[in-house]
Amino acid sequence: MAVDTSRPLDPAAGAKGARGRARKAGTPPRGRIRNALARHWYAWAMVAPVVIVIGLIIGYPLGRGLYLSLTDANEANVERTIGINHIPATYENVGLDNFKAILQDQVFWDRLGWTVTWTVCCVALTFSIGLGLAVLLNRRFAGRTLYRSLLILPWAVPAFVSVFAWRLLYNEKNGILNKVLDAGGIDAVPWLNDPTMAKASVIAVNIWLGVPFMLVALLGGLQSIPGELYEAAEMDGAGPWQRFRHITLPGLRSVSSTVILLSTIWTFNMFPVIFLLTRGGPGDATEILVTYAYRLSFVNSPRDFAGASAWGVLILLILMLFAVVYRRSLRKQGEVW
């Protein structure tokens, strides 16, 4: 009698083997994590110190700020030590009351409007000037290396030093700018004492500080575009504007998207230029969100730690929302990062 060997003799053993194969095929998450750690332990070891430092420097203040934004903490009810006396904290949790109060206050919307205007003007002009200079410096001419070094110089100088130098230039009585105007028979300009002129002045200083970054990034992007594309376009009869529009701008798209995002975040939070140049004045004409949050926490009396933290959280949410929307728009254009 012939025996059929195509089927397993023991159904239970066959089922057990099938379950064993299923477990091997679908490795549990814990096994994947262990395999990743075992395979890439050196990379994890190298990254761990950076992660720990970032967690301490950024993570803890961020968590503390989120916590304080939900309380009524101020200078009078926080934990403090006066001499030998230790006074415990007496502030309480108030939920979202701080955020409701801020969003219902016209001060927030006024500051937000000027902050957005300041950011858009600075980023647009910085990008345009940086792109123009990058296109010029991408060509071969005598002294190109010297010009590149001079244009990058503002980036090498600390921001607060540059701001103090510009403050001297803007001095209404003894500033160099007004001395030059006076020599030409023009009356002195109140650069930092007139609201409109003060806004134009801080925008000019921030552009002066931001152009070198745009220049370096865009110049690197220009040098990565193959020269054969320009030669082929020129042979086909394309003019300078057509080559710039159809070759240069598309070739810089990935670089431009990154530098615009970074510049927007930096400018939105550009504390040194506003605070050191005008301190938000005259009046509150140049006050942006971040300088007002600083004023609540360190200048006004009593210092409002909860309110300042709530302002900081709102600033973070605004920038996160912008980054998400900006990233989605890039994904629609095929630029994924």
Side-chain angles (χ1 to χ4, degrees):
M1 180 178 178
V3 179
D4 185 4
T5 58
S6 61
R7 297 180 181 179
L9 297 177
D10 188 356
K16 183 177 179 180
R19 287 196 297 269
R21 288 192 297 271
R23 282 197 297 269
K24 291 180 180 179
T27 307
R30 182 177 299 178
R32 288 197 296 267
I33 295 175
R34 288 179 178 177
N35 291 336
L37 290 176
R39 183 178 301 176
H40 307 292
W41 67 268
Y42 185 78
W44 287 105
M46 294 295 101
V47 173
V50 178
V51 174
I52 294 173
V53 171
I54 292 178
L56 293 176
I57 295 178
I58 299 178
Y60 174 75
L62 179 60
R64 181 67 175 173
L66 290 172
Y67 170 71
L68 290 177
S69 68
L70 302 175
T71 67
D72 60 351
N74 56 46
E75 190 176 12
N77 59 20
V78 295
E79 182 181 4
R80 59 200 183 278
T81 301
I82 303 177
I84 60 174
N85 299 318
H86 179 75
I87 303 175
T90 58
Y91 56 83
E92 300 176 353
N93 192 301
V94 296
L96 299 176
D97 290 350
N98 291 325
F99 297 98
K100 293 179 182 178
I102 293 174
L103 295 177
Q104 293 173 357
D105 191 353
Q106 186 60 34
V107 172
F108 170 77
W109 299 107
D110 292 341
R111 301 292 183 277
L112 178 60
W114 160 238
T115 304
V116 172
T117 303
W118 142 270
T119 303
V120 171
C121 291
C122 288
V123 173
L125 293 174
T126 302
F127 179 80
S128 301
I129 297 173
L131 178 58
L133 292 175
V135 171
L136 292 176
L137 293 178
N138 195 39
R139 302 176 179 178
R140 295 185 179 276
F141 58 90
R144 183 175 63 169
T145 303
L146 176 61
Y147 285 117
R148 287 181 178 180
S149 302
L150 293 177
L151 289 173
I152 296 175
L153 184 62
W155 199 16
V157 179
F160 71 93
V161 175
S162 299
V163 173
F164 284 138
W166 276 97
R167 189 177 179 86
L168 293 176
L169 294 175
Y170 283 140
N171 188 281
E172 187 173 355
K173 295 182 178 179
N174 301 315
I176 296 177
L177 295 179
N178 280 338
K179 291 290 185 182
V180 173
L181 295 177
D182 183 64
I186 303 175
D187 295 336
V189 176
W191 299 103
L192 302 179
N193 296 323
D194 178 75
T196 303
M197 294 304 303
K199 291 180 178 180
S201 299
V202 294
I203 289 175
V205 173
N206 194 67
I207 291 173
W208 188 79
L209 292 173
V211 163
F213 168 73
M214 287 289 185
L215 169 63
V216 172
L218 295 175
L219 184 58
L222 286 174
Q223 293 178 348
S224 66
I225 300 176
E228 293 80 4
L229 296 178
Y230 292 100
E231 295 176 1
E234 189 174 1
M235 292 179 63
D236 291 339
W241 169 247
Q242 292 176 321
R243 295 196 298 270
F244 177 78
R245 180 182 176 184
H246 297 288
I247 298 178
T248 302
L249 291 182
L252 291 176
R253 186 174 299 166
S254 59
V255 177
S256 300
S257 60
T258 302
V259 296
I260 288 175
L261 177 62
L262 293 176
S263 182
T264 299
I265 295 174
W266 294 338
T267 305
F268 199 90
N269 290 323
M270 183 53 71
F271 177 84
V273 172
I274 299 293
F275 190 79
L276 297 179
L277 198 61
T278 64
R279 293 188 178 273
D284 57 359
T286 60
E287 192 95 78
I288 60 176
L289 294 177
V290 66
T291 57
Y292 188 79
Y294 174 85
R295 187 179 301 279
L296 287 176
S297 184
F298 296 101
V299 177
N300 293 352
S301 183
R303 292 182 289 177
D304 186 5
F305 302 132
S309 299
W311 277 73
V313 172
L314 288 176
I315 294 171
L316 176 62
L317 292 177
I318 292 171
L319 291 175
M320 289 178 62
L321 178 62
F322 168 77
V324 170
V325 173
Y326 187 73
R327 184 173 182 273
R328 287 185 177 181
S329 66
L330 292 179
R331 288 176 64 90
K332 292 181 180 179
Q333 299 174 8
E335 297 291 337
V336 182
W337 51 273

